[in-house]
Amino acid sequence: MLLPKKHFDMKPLLIKTLTILLLAFTGITAAFAQPSKTSSRITGALTDEKGKPMDFATVTLLKAADSSVVKGTLSNENGTYSFDHINSGTYIIKATVVGYEKAISPAFTVDGSDAVTVPQIKMQQASHALSAVTVTATKPLIERKVDRTVMNVENSVLAAGNSALEILERAPGVSVDKDDNISLKGKQGVTVMINDKLTYLTSAQLATLLRSTDGTTIQSIEIITNPSAKYDAAGNSGIINIKLKKNRQTGTNGSITVGVGKGKYGRDNSTLQLNHKVGNVNIFGSFSHDDNKRFQDIGLKRIVTDTAGHQTYFNQYTGMPQSRHNNSYRLGADINTSSKNTFGFVVNGYFNSEYDSNDNRTYIGPNFTQVDSSLRTVTGINQTYHSFAANLNDTYKIDTTGQQISADVDYSKFKNNTTAQYVTDFFLADGSLQHPQAFLGNLTPSTIDIKTAKVDYTNPLSKTLKMEAGLKYSDVKTDNDLREKLAAGDAYQSTNHFMYDEKISAGYLNFNKDYKGTSVQLGLRAEYTSSNANGDSSNVVQHIARHYLNLFPSLFVNHTFNDKNEMSFSYSRRIDRPQYDNLNPFVYRLDPYTYQKGNPYLKPQYTNNFEVNYTYNKNTTLTLGYSRTTDVMTEVPGTDPATKVAFVTQQNLQVQNSYNANLYSNYTITKWWTGDINATAFYLGFKSNGLEGGNLDKGQFAYQFRATETFTPLKGYKFEVTPNYQSALTYGLFSVHPQYSVDAGVSHSFANKKANVKFSVSDIFNTRRNDVTTKYQNIDLDIRQKRDSQVARLTFTYNFGNSKIKARQHRTGADDEKGRVKGQ
């Protein structure tokens, strides 16, 4: 059905919506605010001798009488710090940071009646600078925070030689299927961000970007299952935020990493990172290259029942060796134009190539053991991927209380080109030729342009109330052309030209309120979407336009009972818009009997997420969650009984219900043995009437388990072992078979910790597979897939240059925008 094209100004709607939220929240705080009579909040700020904010300093609250420690924290980017729920008494503040003299505040009194602001503390540079600093403390691999789970990749043995995609497969609750679709706790619809910025790419393009990102450039991976209104509303399963390393050192320094690996084929990788910090300017850059050849074997069995009830059996096998050559770069700078203002820019991109050589054999008969005919399709696919992205960002700190405004402007361009040739021979049962050889050639150039701009504003309205607000605009244009020829000597003819334009205007408002032992955050995000799809083909709808406004509320409540017990509740509404390649109606063939196509009528899906967290002793967390998704986008297989051709496309199911429970705990067994466990149990249920002529009602209980054991029995050595298990589960029409594997590695640091060598083996027992089956109506399909998962890697890293630590941290403003694209 074609949707009428509408144009209207969304600005009054956004202003009205945010005003209503402000009034509602003001009423809530007036009704429920009961200031504590027994405890207070302490705030303050640190600066250096020039008056610039002193960030990431260690701040300790001490009793004035005996200097005993009450609490500790770090100053933030604005140099500010705070302590909540402090009992009546007399205290002092101690501040320390490397390269500066210790600073002590005058004594002050807390009487429990009001918040206390400590006079600004100015820190003086130490009379003698340290030439080098050795940091011996290391973060655990998996760290559970109030609103997210953090995987600290930076010092992990298992990160060496792996790409971002391979590391992501090992993150708690994350799985990657045979088509590189990322799931979290069994649910697809995950939004991937890099340095807090969206990646507006399809699943295939995102996979290419992640394969191009060397694991040695990653600091951590954050998993946010219920994001606030500050984040884009996309992603019903939540957000995965990949944090790249940030250098805090002065002078010129860097690192070089080289590695080799061996699966079925050999592979290599190398990365150079450089950083130069002098005065108010910090310049940073990196370049990575890897050569990666791997195999992928797919076996597909299907039974086709025609209208007369006769069955035909297809037994297909495809060998798919893939050779990839990836190159990625990143260059940027941060400039402190004043004590209050920081300007920055970042450019990054990649230029990659890939060659796939597919050999597909299909055997056809009345059963799987008897063959009446067969065919062989040999495919050669050459692909090139290029991207360029640029960001400008500026942050202005209005005052020392935390009030600030920041702005980001981004531009990204992706250009992909694929040339494929399919040659098919048809045989009778005795091996003689049945038909003349068939030829098909495809040329599919594709470009994607992404423009975004956003402004964020933060204002602490009082000691216990903070407001956050922001506006964002994004414009994405895709242009895809399918050109075909039926003989090797023919010229390509355009058979399907598809263009898609999507604009999203958004605004959000968040309020954070602190009560006695309780903090509340209430937010609302409004997003207006305008999209136009245009197809130039005789069998494709010529124009589809959609215009819609959505509101996305969120609520977070956190209560601290005491030092060991904490509980939180969160709710958010979210959206998943169709990936651009899933809207593209092109037909991609594996052989004459198998193809994949897009669906230009695919609608967005909406999800309501509820989550309760309980944390004990800061190291054990139990999470219970429920979500309901409508218009569920999922992959649906189909078969034409007349032609017996099988295909896969995307359709909207009516409802998905998800229940989940997660238990995380880290522990210390001995001084040299630490570990953590992450266990998730969930139920996914799908319902849809009228799907392929039937009513779908399917669901299954499933669970995932991951443990990481870290051993440091010898000085300078670290051993890690990580077993993973995922039980059988149901997703849409598909039943996914169990998956399990064990990874292990060892690292050794030497040369005063400037050099490090790591050896690791992923999937030691070669058990990791992606097998799925489906039986629904006339669909009977069994897919068995094995990738090159058992890989041994040896990686060497050397850090060079000045190792003085500076207390400022580089932060970029916007790697926000690239996540629903395909082909990279």
Side-chain angles (χ1 to χ4, degrees), residues 42-48 51-55 57 59 75-76 78-82 93 95 103 105 116-123 399-402 463:
I42 298 172
T43 61
L46 307 175
T47 67
D48 61 15
K52 296 180 180 179
M54 180 65 68
D55 54 359
V59 184
S75 60
N76 63 18
N78 306 310
T80 61
Y81 59 89
S82 64
I93 294 291
S105 75
V116 175
T117 300
V118 179
Q120 188 179 87
I121 300 174
K122 182 177 291 187
M123 303 190 68
D399 54 36
T400 59
T401 66
K463 302 300 181 181

Side-chain angles (χ1 to χ4, degrees), residues 567-592:
M567 181 171 284
S568 63
F569 167 81
S570 61
Y571 161 77
S572 67
R573 183 173 187 259
R574 306 193 63 74
I575 185 176
D576 285 287
R577 299 174 183 88
Q579 292 186 1
Y580 312 129
D581 56 326
N582 291 336
L583 292 168
N584 190 338
F586 290 6
V587 172
Y588 298 94
R589 298 186 182 276
L590 179 64
D591 59 53

Side-chain angles (χ1 to χ4, degrees), residues 54-129:
M54 180 65 68
D55 54 359
F56 303 101
T58 300
V59 184
T60 309
L61 178 66
L62 308 174
K63 289 184 178 180
D66 56 5
S67 295
S68 60
V69 176
V70 179
K71 282 188 177 182
T73 187
L74 293 175
S75 60
N76 63 18
E77 294 175 330
N78 306 310
T80 61
Y81 59 89
S82 64
F83 296 101
D84 294 316
H85 316 305
I86 304 303
N87 296 327
S88 299
T90 303
Y91 300 92
I92 58 174
I93 294 291
K94 181 178 73 172
T96 59
V97 69
V98 175
Y100 286 80
E101 301 286 356
K102 177 177 65 176
I104 302 291
S105 75
F108 57 91
T109 301
V110 173
D111 59 12
S113 61
D114 198 1
V116 175
T117 300
V118 179
Q120 188 179 87
I121 300 174
K122 182 177 291 187
M123 303 190 68
Q124 300 294 329
Q125 195 163 14
S127 57
H128 59 282

Side-chain angles (χ1 to χ4, degrees), residues 165 169 176-181 204 207 211 263-265 267 292-300 316-324 354-361 377 379 381 383 385 590 596 635 739 766 768-772 783-791:
L165 185 64
E169 289 185 278
V176 181
D177 70 9
K178 59 183 179 62
D179 299 315
D180 294 325
N181 295 307
R211 288 193 191 98
K264 185 174 183 178
Y265 308 102
R267 57 188 70 187
N292 187 335
K293 184 176 182 181
R294 64 177 186 172
F295 78 89
Q296 181 176 199
D297 293 336
I298 299 179
L300 190 155
Q316 299 173 257
Y317 172 79
T318 305
M320 304 174 69
Q322 301 171 319
S323 296
R324 304 178 187 271
E354 178 180 335
Y355 178 73
D356 299 347
S357 178
N358 302 343
D359 189 349
N360 174 269
R361 297 175 185 266
T377 300
T379 306
I381 305 175
Q383 303 175 78
Y385 310 112
L590 179 64
Q596 179 177 343
E635 191 174 80
Q739 300 176 9
N766 202 24
R768 190 179 297 151
R769 300 182 58 88
N770 289 284
D771 298 337
V772 299
I783 303 174
R784 304 298 172 108
Q785 182 185 50
K786 185 70 180 75
R787 287 182 170 176
D788 200 358
S789 57
Q790 186 185 52
V791 181

